[in-house]
């Protein structure tokens, strides 16, 4: 017998105020109006976070499989039914070990893939990335990781101005891996060259990037104006002013902007001392900063909180929902399987109350305990 979930259903085209989602096993079998139901809880597709380093006191950055499983479980309880495990800049040995450790979790479905944020990044825009490990892109390293992961490596962030970056982007995209532009001091033209080579994601737009200037637009304008690029935005009120969040999401539109958490282990945890990529991090009032220089060191955000913040900033609910689910799923090549309340897609749901707090989470047709 099909399961039916009733309430305010948020679809890719709008909100059905009195609607239902019908499920058959692990798939969505119908999405329709259901006039006899009262105007109940919000029903959204499961959130898709394509950039997170950990949460709940657990981290993805060390390559430890049990830590990764626990971090994914923490975010699942906050509505994230699909996520990439993001590492930070590190020695190649750790990248290789993490790929081997996380590939079984990808096959199991705990993770949707691995995201290497670095080490092929700009020293001038490294932010909280460890400068000790930054280096030029290596196609040999990338080819080895892709082969080892056997489909587990899904995205790599690099700076297009580094030597060998365009060759790396072509290798990645040729092997089905998303190339992202981030932590970069690239010019407008260098960024456009990366997009022409196949880069299709802008990593936490504005953050860790050469700022916009009217005589040198830099990477931000190049990425915002590229029709095939999805721009990540951290909607926590710390990484971006709400006016900039609204500007970017309006400029590129909800089909080209994806909310991310960029969360580190401290998400969901008390203020205190933590670690990210071998560097000490202090968390005060929920804001994570490097102990050595005060640089923002990821966030303590969860995707449900990001959604609430975006809606409070004036982004319409249907648009914000696309930005936390549909668009990020498409950005990493999973849009034909999940990320929206549509017939045939995986039955991933988040039920929210009127304050947009999580009530229940379903993944693959089963409610999360």
């Amino acid at each position: 017998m099909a399961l039916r979930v009733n309430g305010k259903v948020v679809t890719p085209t709008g909100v059905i105020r009195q609607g239902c989602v019908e499920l058959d096993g692990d798939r969505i079998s119908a999405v329709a109006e259901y006039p006899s139901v009262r105007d109940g809880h919000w029903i959204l597709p499961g959130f898709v976070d394509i950039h997170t380093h950990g949460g709940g006191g657990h981290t993805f950055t060390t390559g430890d499989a049990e830590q990764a499983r626990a971090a994914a479980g923490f975010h699942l309880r906050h509505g994230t039914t699909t996520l990439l495990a993001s590492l930070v800049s590190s020695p190649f040995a750790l990248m290789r070990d993490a790929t081997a450790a996380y590939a079984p979790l990808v096959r199991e479905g705990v993770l949707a893939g691995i995201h290497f944020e670095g080490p092929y990044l700009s020293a001038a825009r490294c932010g909280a990335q460890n400068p000790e490990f930054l280096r030029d892109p290596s196609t040999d390293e990338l080819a080895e990781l892709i082969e080892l992961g056997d489909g587990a490596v899904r995205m790599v962030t690099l700076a297009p101005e580094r030597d060998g970056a365009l060759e790396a982007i072509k290798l990645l995209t040729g092997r089905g891996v998303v190339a992202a532009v981030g932590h970069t001091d690239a010019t407008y033209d260098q960024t456009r060259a990366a997009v022409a080579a196949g880069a299709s994601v802008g990593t936490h737009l504005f953050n860790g990037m050469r700022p916009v200037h009217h005589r040198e637009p830099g990477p931000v304008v190049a990425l915002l104006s590229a029709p095939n690029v999805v721009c990540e935005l951290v909607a926590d009120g710390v990484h971006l002013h709400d006016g900039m969040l609204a500007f970017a999401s309006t400029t590129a539109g909800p089909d080209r902007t994806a909310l991310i958490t960029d969360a580190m282990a401290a998400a969901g945890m008390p203020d205190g001392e933590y670690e990210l990529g071998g560097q000490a991090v202090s968390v005060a009032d929920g804001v994570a900063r490097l102990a050595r220089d005060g640089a923002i060191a990821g966030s303590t955000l969860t995707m449900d909180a990001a959604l609430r913040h975006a809606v409070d900033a004036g982004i319409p609910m249907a648009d914000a929902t696309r930005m936390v689910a549909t668009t990020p799923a498409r950005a990493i090549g999973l849009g034909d399987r999940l990320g929206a309340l549509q017939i045939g897609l995986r039955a991933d749901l988040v039920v929210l109350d009127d304050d947009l707090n999580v009530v229940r989470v379903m993944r693959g047709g089963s409610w999360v305990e």
Side-chain angles (χ1 to χ4, degrees):
M1 179 178 179
L3 176 65
R4 178 181 292 144
V5 184
N6 303 325
K8 298 185 284 277
V9 179
V10 185
T11 74
T13 57
V15 178
I16 305 174
R17 302 296 302 191
Q18 293 177 294
C20 72
V21 181
E22 287 192 0
L23 316 168
D24 186 0
D26 66 349
R27 298 284 140 185
I28 297 171
S29 57
V31 179
E33 289 191 58
Y34 199 55
S36 63
V37 71
R38 68 179 180 84
D39 189 2
H41 289 319
W42 291 97
I43 305 170
L44 277 66
F47 306 142
V48 180
D49 191 355
I50 62 175
H51 188 155
T52 177
H53 301 288
H58 310 284
T59 186
F60 293 125
T61 62
T62 58
D64 183 288
E66 289 312 306
Q67 287 271 320
R69 187 183 294 276
F74 165 79
H75 285 289
L76 178 60
R77 294 189 292 275
H78 285 271
T80 299
T81 52
T82 301
L83 58 72
L84 299 185
S86 299
L87 283 88
V88 292
S89 296
S90 54
F92 181 62
L94 175 54
M95 298 170 74
R96 191 173 51 228
D97 290 347
T99 302
Y102 293 168
L105 298 183
V106 176
R107 289 192 290 271
E108 187 181 334
V110 174
L111 305 174
I114 301 165
H115 166 215
F116 289 111
E117 188 186 9
Y120 315 123
L121 307 175
S122 164
R125 305 290 176 188
C126 64
Q129 297 281 335
N130 194 330
E132 178 184 348
F133 302 128
L134 302 182
R135 55 191 185 273
D136 289 334
S138 165
T139 53
D140 288 341
E141 287 184 356
L142 290 170
E144 184 174 340
L145 294 172
I146 293 168
E147 190 70 25
L148 178 63
D150 191 23
V153 178
R154 193 163 282 274
M155 185 161 72
V156 176
T157 295
L158 45 73
E161 73 273 21
R162 295 209 70 137
D163 289 344
L166 297 186
E167 291 79 6
I169 291 170
K170 291 172 184 175
L171 169 73
L172 291 167
T173 56
R175 299 288 295 272
V177 178
V178 175
V181 172
H183 286 281
T184 175
D185 199 41
T187 65
Y188 177 81
D189 288 338
Q190 287 172 322
T191 307
R192 284 174 57 88
V195 173
S200 59
V201 167
T203 295
H204 47 50
L205 196 75
F206 300 103
N207 300 114
M209 289 186 179
R210 177 195 289 248
V212 175
H213 188 277
H214 53 284
R215 284 189 293 273
E216 173 44 69
V220 171
V221 174
L223 294 166
L224 272 178
S225 59
N228 60 321
V229 170
V230 170
C231 298
E232 298 179 350
L233 300 170
V234 187
D236 62 352
V238 176
H239 283 74
L240 297 175
H241 187 283
D242 284 355
M244 195 60 83
L245 173 67
F247 166 77
S249 59
T250 300
T251 300
D255 291 327
R256 290 210 304 110
T257 44
L259 300 187
I260 60 164
T261 64
D262 196 16
M264 46 95 68
M269 301 296 288
D271 287 353
E273 304 306 311
Y274 295 87
E275 182 268 348
L276 181 67
Q279 301 183 101
V281 174
S282 294
V283 178
D285 298 323
V287 179
R289 296 185 180 276
L290 285 186
R292 62 174 167 83
D293 63 5
I296 296 174
S299 84
T300 60
L301 195 60
T302 53
M303 286 295 274
D304 57 325
L307 175 77
R308 289 192 294 271
H309 192 100
V311 172
D312 286 345
I315 297 174
M317 183 65 162
D319 289 351
T321 298
R322 295 219 294 277
M323 293 164 65
V324 295
T326 314
T327 300
R330 180 173 47 79
I332 59 171
L334 298 178
D336 60 341
R337 299 184 226 171
L338 50 90
L341 299 183
Q342 290 182 322
I343 294 171
L345 298 190
R346 196 172 75 188
D348 295 346
L349 310 178
V350 184
V351 180
L352 305 174
D353 64 20
D354 283 340
D355 295 320
L356 305 186
N357 295 306
V358 174
V359 177
R360 297 187 83 182
V361 179
M362 173 182 287
R363 188 177 190 279
S366 298
W367 293 111
V368 175
E369 295 298 327

